[in-house]
Amino acid sequence: MRYIGGKSQLLGGIDAVVSENVPRGGGLFCDAFAGTGSVARHFKPRFQIVSNDVLHFSYVLQKATVEANAAPSFAGLRRAGIDDPAGWLERADVGLATGCPFFIAGNYSPAPEGGPGAAAGLACAGPGRAAAWPAPRPAPGGGRMYLTRPNAERVDFIRFTVEGWLAAGLLDEAEYYHLLARLIEGVPPVSNTAGTYGAYLKRWDRRALRPFALAPLEISDNGRDNRSFNTDANLLVRGIEGEVLYVDPPYTSRQYGSSYHLLETVSRYDSPAIHGVTGARDCQDARSAYCVRGEAEDAFEDLVAEARFRHLVVSYSDEGLVRIGRLEEVLRRHGTGACFRRYETPYRRYKSRTGDGADVHSEYVCY
């Protein structure tokens, strides 16, 4: 998944810092701002993992790939005659989802041309009964072009059906989060956006026209009791302690809740009030002080002061709201100053519009 500030391309550098300063590994590793979970998954073979993010869709991904140590068996669905849940969800007629609000199709895709989907007011797809849902809200005139209508209806159908299976006792918690994570990971590859959901493209991108498919998940077994949380990182560190705390807070004023509002709504599926051209939900519950100039530095110092970990590793950027010099002052003040190290990696982000040169900035890892 393309993600603002994602660390997939920088894992080698982060690993080198941890390996140099925590050579024996083991113990508890906490990824306090997990995002897509790439850092937590990378270190999972060597540590017990605690991961966290304030966004619910991130929490779902962590539950399925960080906390889980094995792919689920889906015994309940097999007893009900569904041997291949993913295949069934991808191929079943969306008209089977009786009672589904089709909130995604009604608000994030163009109006239908007479198909079933949102017009159907039919009890639950497949075996079992669905949970009660909020009343659907009217779609805007013409719809938004985040997803094609068939893909949006498929997303609604899968999300509604999985909730129904859980309510009917056909899924356990691990199976539920596994299917939701595969659904969430499947949305970006067919989204008609440039990467985030702050805007949609006005013409259909070729990849958005592909049929929706549940994404595969990579799950490793580290033989440890891993835990995932959906809370504020500054609250989380007050309740845990361990070997390594990895901190990768937001750098800029862009709030992640607004940038990924569609994935958050797919994850929560709560028919929220939405507004504006983009159909964004109110994301105040996911607001981060790290994205607010004047609050970010205090939030960072509070987190470091309250952390009860032997090793602290921090990722940040030279474009961040907190100047790197101030970041270093905070770390030296609350840690053992003689141990402080700062590593810098030039990072080529994108080519200029003229094609000559690139936007190069520095990513820092502080120990």
Side-chain angles (χ1 to χ4, degrees), residues 178-231:
H178 180 89
L179 290 175
L180 286 195
R182 293 187 64 180
L183 170 63
I184 290 166
E185 286 280 18
V187 172
V190 294
S191 292
N192 194 43
T193 70
T196 71
Y197 296 86
Y200 52 85
L201 303 177
K202 303 306 182 287
R203 297 180 181 229
W204 290 110
D205 184 85
R206 183 180 302 174
R207 67 191 188 94
L209 301 177
R210 297 178 300 192
F212 178 85
L214 292 166
L217 297 179
E218 292 185 12
I219 304 171
S220 63
D221 182 3
N222 65 356
R224 296 177 171 97
D225 181 22
N226 310 297
R227 299 286 305 282
S228 299
F229 293 91
N230 178 211
T231 189

Side-chain angles (χ1 to χ4, degrees), residues 157-171:
F157 170 80
I158 294 173
R159 183 64 185 86
F160 183 76
T161 301
V162 169
E163 201 72 27
W165 285 348
L166 178 69
L170 297 174
L171 299 174

Side-chain angles (χ1 to χ4, degrees), residues 307-319:
R308 295 179 292 173
F309 285 77
R310 185 174 180 184
H311 305 276
L312 177 61
V313 179
V314 180
S315 285
Y316 211 66
S317 168
D318 63 353
E319 295 185 321

Side-chain angles (χ1 to χ4, degrees), residues 9 85 131 134 138 141 150 191 210 228 245 268-269 277 284:
Q9 298 180 51
S191 292
R210 297 178 300 192
S228 299
L245 174 62
R268 294 181 181 275
Y269 212 61
V277 174
Q284 280 301 307

Side-chain angles (χ1 to χ4, degrees), residues 325-336:
R326 293 292 296 135
L327 199 81
E328 181 174 336
E329 288 176 21
V330 171
L331 293 172
R332 287 184 180 276
R333 183 160 58 247
H334 294 284
T336 304

